Amino acid sequence: MNVIVDLCLVPIGVGVSLSRYVAACEKVLAETDLNYSLHANGTNIEGDWDAVFAAIKQCHETVHGIGAPRIFTTIKCGTRTDKSQQMADKVQSVKEKL
Amino acid sequence: MNVIVDLCLVPIGVGVSLSRYVAACEKVLAETDLNYSLHANGTNIEGDWDAVFAAIKQCHETVHGIGAPRIFTTIKCGTRTDKSQQMADKVQSVKEKL
Amino acid sequence: MNVIVDLCLVPIGVGVSLSRYVAACEKVLAETDLNYSLHANGTNIEGDWDAVFAAIKQCHETVHGIGAPRIFTTIKCGTRTDKSQQMADKVQSVKEKL
Amino acid sequence: MNVIVDLCLVPIGVGVSLSRYVAACEKVLAETDLNYSLHANGTNIEGDWDAVFAAIKQCHETVHGIGAPRIFTTIKCGTRTDKSQQMADKVQSVKEKL
């Protein structure tokens, strides 16, 4: 089962600047074969369900490991069985209707 | 790693009434050992990370299996290493400050 | 336009314990005529769109006012034109299918 | 109060293809002075709180107006008082740590 995810991980208890922790997650994703793309409010990721959620778990473990005592994460997650769709298709499909 | 999750699964392409699909997810959760609680905008679940996310994956598979061609899910997900905390503790902790 | 919302406000840069800030939001809601209900991962609120979002804005202002330099909030938000529905109806509707 | 938002609006009861409705929201945003950017799982928007949430309300009204009987929307929403920050700054700040 393929999934397209928007991951937004917020470390808590490490002060107000969070970019170091988001960068650590980007490095976790860079070690995978997943397709991903950072944006202003999260990171879009696509791939096999198990691989995507294994990466998300590793992000939590990594961010705890570099000092965050608490993490709050928001995940938006889409699956479909009617057709195969990639992240770029979703944006393209909207742009064609503009 | 323990996790407290808020799961909100929205089947797409099955019309306007979604409760049958949410009920199917509740039945998936009832088959697990996880602690969970339905509310007006989702279901709170707590337990081991792997068990919780295995249940969420099974919800997606089940809802596709009973006819939804597309699913959009929102997951809020909290982990912490500084202390053990359960769902009831979170509500209690706020109520003590009221 | 009526709306049913799930509000989850996370103050950032105030340490690891957040319940004091969530309690401040509950007090904001208590001053309104809105129907609301705290749960383990947020607060469900229902009412007129403008009144609900005015309250959410006031929560942000209040939490900044008591010391949080940064806030990350997740809002799930449902509207419908086919029928009038309240929070309790949503839970009841699922429970009837169990 | 400035806000950076991620808006993801899901019309329910209109079948499986949603891009027409997302395009209608993009057109609403195009009529405003807000800075916004479509991505694979939503649209990032930045601007004054009231202007941003007025646009979001207008998206709901517009999508109901073109036929969706039910809408489920997820909003991630960030405010800060410690410094002024724009969407591009957030991405840049992470990239500098990679």
Side-chain angles (χ1 to χ4, degrees):
Chain A
M1 184 166 54
N2 229 59
V3 66
I4 296 180
V5 153
D6 175 45
L7 172 69
C8 177
L9 185 151
V10 176
I12 298 172
V14 293
V16 87
S17 177
L18 310 181
S19 51
R20 175 178 165 245
Y21 302 90
V22 178
C25 295
E26 298 300 294
K27 287 175 197 164
V28 166
L29 294 169
E31 300 279 311
T32 69
D33 292 328
L34 299 166
N35 191 6
Y36 65 99
S37 170
L38 178 68
H39 63 85
N41 287 300
T43 301
N44 293 322
I45 314 170
E46 71 187 352
D48 173 67
W49 179 288
D50 291 337
V52 168
F53 282 95
I56 293 174
K57 184 185 178 188
Q58 210 188 323
C59 288
H60 268 250
E61 290 170 338
T62 300
V63 171
H64 281 309
I66 59 174
R70 188 174 181 178
I71 301 172
F72 174 74
T73 292
T74 310
I75 304 166
K76 295 186 285 189
C77 157
T79 58
R80 54 198 304 176
T81 53
D82 58 330
K83 67 169 175 176
S84 149
Q85 186 184 46
Q86 291 184 294
M87 300 196 298
D89 302 331
K90 291 183 74 179
V91 172
Q92 186 53 32
S93 177
V94 173
K95 290 200 167 157
E96 283 164 5
K97 271 98 181 173
L98 289 179
Chain B
M1 183 165 56
N2 229 58
V3 66
I4 296 180
V5 153
D6 175 46
L7 172 69
C8 176
L9 187 152
V10 177
I12 298 171
V14 292
V16 87
S17 178
L18 310 181
S19 51
R20 174 177 166 246
Y21 302 89
V22 178
C25 294
E26 298 300 295
K27 287 175 196 163
V28 166
L29 293 170
E31 300 280 311
T32 69
D33 293 327
L34 298 167
N35 191 6
Y36 66 99
S37 168
L38 178 68
H39 64 85
N41 287 301
T43 301
N44 292 323
I45 314 169
E46 70 186 352
D48 173 66
W49 179 289
D50 290 337
V52 169
F53 281 93
I56 293 174
K57 184 185 178 187
Q58 211 189 322
C59 288
H60 268 250
E61 290 170 338
T62 300
V63 170
H64 281 310
I66 59 175
R70 187 175 182 177
I71 302 172
F72 174 74
T73 292
T74 310
I75 304 166
K76 295 186 284 189
C77 156
T79 57
R80 55 197 307 176
T81 54
D82 59 329
K83 68 169 176 177
S84 150
Q85 186 184 45
Q86 290 184 296
M87 299 196 297
D89 302 330
K90 292 183 74 180
V91 172
Q92 185 54 30
S93 177
V94 173
K95 290 199 167 158
E96 284 164 5
K97 270 98 183 172
L98 289 179
Chain C
M1 183 165 55
N2 229 57
V3 65
I4 296 180
V5 152
D6 174 46
L7 173 69
C8 176
L9 186 151
V10 176
I12 297 171
V14 293
V16 86
S17 178
L18 310 181
S19 52
R20 174 178 166 246
Y21 302 89
V22 178
C25 295
E26 299 301 295
K27 286 174 196 164
V28 167
L29 293 169
E31 301 280 310
T32 69
D33 292 328
L34 298 166
N35 191 5
Y36 67 98
S37 169
L38 177 69
H39 63 84
N41 287 302
T43 302
N44 292 323
I45 314 171
E46 71 186 351
D48 172 66
W49 180 289
D50 291 336
V52 169
F53 281 94
I56 293 174
K57 185 186 178 187
Q58 210 187 324
C59 288
H60 268 250
E61 289 170 338
T62 299
V63 170
H64 281 310
I66 58 174
R70 187 175 183 177
I71 302 173
F72 174 74
T73 292
T74 310
I75 303 166
K76 295 187 284 189
C77 157
T79 58
R80 55 197 307 176
T81 54
D82 58 330
K83 69 168 174 177
S84 150
Q85 185 183 46
Q86 292 184 294
M87 298 196 299
D89 302 331
K90 291 183 74 180
V91 172
Q92 185 54 30
S93 178
V94 172
K95 289 199 167 157
E96 283 164 4
K97 271 101 183 169
L98 289 179
Chain D
M1 183 166 55
N2 229 58
V3 65
I4 296 180
V5 151
D6 175 46
L7 173 68
C8 176
L9 186 152
V10 176
I12 297 171
V14 292
V16 86
S17 178
L18 310 181
S19 52
R20 175 178 165 246
Y21 302 90
V22 179
C25 295
E26 298 299 295
K27 287 175 196 163
V28 166
L29 293 170
E31 300 280 311
T32 69
D33 292 328
L34 299 166
N35 192 5
Y36 66 98
S37 169
L38 177 69
H39 63 84
N41 286 302
T43 301
N44 293 322
I45 314 170
E46 70 186 351
D48 173 66
W49 180 289
D50 290 337
V52 169
F53 281 94
I56 292 173
K57 184 185 179 189
Q58 211 188 321
C59 288
H60 268 250
E61 290 170 338
T62 300
V63 171
H64 281 309
I66 59 174
R70 186 175 183 179
I71 302 174
F72 174 74
T73 291
T74 310
I75 303 166
K76 295 186 284 189
C77 158
T79 58
R80 56 197 305 177
T81 53
D82 59 329
K83 68 168 177 178
S84 149
Q85 186 184 46
Q86 292 183 293
M87 298 195 300
D89 302 331
K90 291 184 72 180
V91 171
Q92 186 54 31
S93 177
V94 172
K95 290 199 167 157
E96 284 164 4
K97 270 98 182 172
L98 289 179

